[in-house]
Amino acid sequence: PEEFVYGEEDFVLQAAGWGDPNSAPSRFDRVLLAGWSDRMERGLFRYRLGPLPNRVLPGPVRLVAQLNEQRSAERRPPQPVRSLRDPFDPGAFNFTRLRPAELLFRLRRTGGPGPPPDSLLVAINASPLERGHVLLLPDPARRLPQLLTAPALHGALEAALLSAHPGFRVGFNGLGGGASVNHLHLHGLYLDRPLPLEEAPAEPLGPRLGLLRAGPAPAFLFFAAGPAALEPVSRAVCRAAEHLGAAGLACNVLATRGDPPAGPGGGRGLRVLLWARRPLFGPKAGEPFAVALCELAGLLPLPAEPLYRDITEAQALSAIRQHLLPEPELLHLGGELARLLEN
């Protein structure tokens, strides 16, 4: 694939406001969305993605339900996961098997600030949640399992700053946390609405860590005020994720434009949320939907019209929160992470 070479001058430090999210797309947005739309016209996706019905569920959390029946019916079945440390399986589907036309470009930074991240292949997600849904792949030929690394996360966070759209987010689903392929990858996608977790204040746990309770699930919050902070934040998030894995916990990560941990008032930067959860291996009987990074952030892609029409906030929160830690365990874990990151 062609290279998308960028430097610090390409970072969009102030994305468009939500009042006009389609104003002045960046070079990154133009190239990504043009390539994505071209692949859709060429029939390289598992289904054609048109406008999706969505509604805000009544209630204080304001969860967004979205009907995407095709994804549920047409997507590749998730790989079976047996443990948090499953090795890469060359016999299972992996991203070395993508067709060349599914690759859009390779991201590569030149110049500062600090050490360059992993270069990332940007490929279509053939079972998309939204227009522009892509995979961010750090050198698939290395055949790394789905365990987050700091250089890969650093590259994804830089990709988030290359977009001028306020709703371009990047994220990661760990093993036992909704990952469907055990081959290192992150997601990039345009979500066309603000989320409460962009601006809600967090409880401070330490100099570099907060606890954010906005949305359906509490998350540990890291914050990068600008490009120079992306590399140390990536290392901190991955140290925390490794600690979770050692404790037998799965994780999900989401990065979004947002306010500093104290809330609105300072300059916006990049909020990186880390959710700790009980791992789930295989489908759970009776679950109305799977729980991964979108659901934890408050967006519920639902597989059937009756469920989309009838689900209540209480039912959705119950489905999400059964995967989470009890409050005393969460706070104890937060104290451990704060101490870990201070050393």
Side-chain angles (χ1 to χ4, degrees):
E2 294 184 8
E3 284 200 328
F4 184 100
V5 179
Y6 66 95
E8 191 170 4
E9 68 278 3
D10 291 294
F11 292 134
V12 181
L13 301 183
Q14 292 296 325
W18 278 107
D20 191 10
N22 296 314
S23 65
S26 67
R27 180 169 68 100
F28 172 83
D29 295 319
R30 293 193 300 272
V31 171
L32 188 156
L33 291 170
W36 195 93
S37 298
D38 169 73
R39 281 19 173 225
M40 180 63 75
E41 291 304 313
R42 289 160 60 183
L44 291 168
F45 290 81
R46 287 176 169 256
Y47 47 85
R48 286 195 68 85
L49 187 73
L52 296 171
N54 63 81
R55 70 184 186 95
V56 177
L57 302 188
V61 183
R62 298 191 60 76
L63 299 171
V64 179
Q66 182 185 77
L67 180 61
N68 192 338
E69 294 173 293
Q70 290 174 294
R71 187 169 196 268
S72 174
E74 304 291 342
R75 68 180 297 203
R76 181 183 293 106
Q79 289 177 11
V81 175
R82 294 168 294 280
S83 79
L84 297 174
R85 295 288 174 179
D86 270 9
F88 176 86
D89 179 1
F93 172 79
N94 63 76
F95 299 119
T96 66
R97 301 183 182 183
L98 293 178
R99 296 167 290 180
E102 293 181 72
L103 306 177
L104 300 181
F105 51 86
R106 181 186 296 276
L107 278 173
R108 182 170 66 83
R109 170 157 69 79
T110 60
D118 276 355
S119 67
L120 298 176
L121 272 175
V122 180
I124 63 168
N125 187 321
S127 301
L129 283 164
E130 292 275 6
R131 175 173 174 260
H133 186 179
V134 294
L135 302 171
L136 306 174
L137 309 173
D139 193 0
R142 293 166 63 193
R143 301 186 172 204
L144 297 173
Q146 183 69 347
L147 296 172
L148 192 58
T149 68
L153 179 58
H154 183 190
L157 298 185
E158 290 200 345
L161 287 192
L162 290 173
S163 173
H165 192 289
F168 183 74
R169 280 105 179 194
V170 299
F172 172 85
N173 293 319
L175 296 177
S180 60
V181 178
N182 186 14
H183 191 184
L184 183 55
H185 66 286
L186 296 97
H187 294 266
L189 64 168
Y190 295 84
L191 300 178
D192 282 330
R193 62 175 60 242
L195 297 170
L197 47 75
E198 292 174 27
E199 59 182 20
E203 303 166 20
L205 298 176
R208 296 192 290 166
L209 186 69
L211 180 63
L212 185 68
R213 295 185 181 274
F220 297 112
L221 175 64
F222 303 77
F223 183 71
L230 298 182
E231 194 268 339
V233 162
S234 300
R235 283 190 283 109
V237 172
C238 287
R239 284 189 75 191
E242 288 172 9
H243 185 83
L244 299 187
L249 298 171
C251 74
N252 303 83
V253 176
L254 177 76
T256 182
R257 302 273 184 168
D259 291 304
R268 283 169 72 86
L270 212 55
R271 285 185 164 202
V272 185
L273 291 90
L274 171 69
W275 285 280
R277 56 183 290 174
R278 305 235 179 268
L280 178 64
F281 304 120
K284 189 169 183 179
E287 277 201 315
F289 51 81
V291 176
L293 69 92
C294 284
E295 291 79 8
L296 292 167
L299 174 70
L300 312 178
L302 299 176
E305 201 280 332
L307 178 65
Y308 168 78
R309 181 188 65 231
D310 297 334
I311 193 168
T312 66
E313 180 180 274
Q315 291 168 333
L317 291 177
S318 175
I320 292 169
R321 290 174 177 171
Q322 65 179 315
H323 298 281
L324 306 182
L325 306 181
E327 178 84 358
E329 195 174 334
L330 180 72
L331 294 177
H332 179 74
L333 179 62
E336 290 182 341
L337 293 180
R339 289 188 293 274
L340 175 75
L341 297 176
E342 286 179 40
N343 296 329

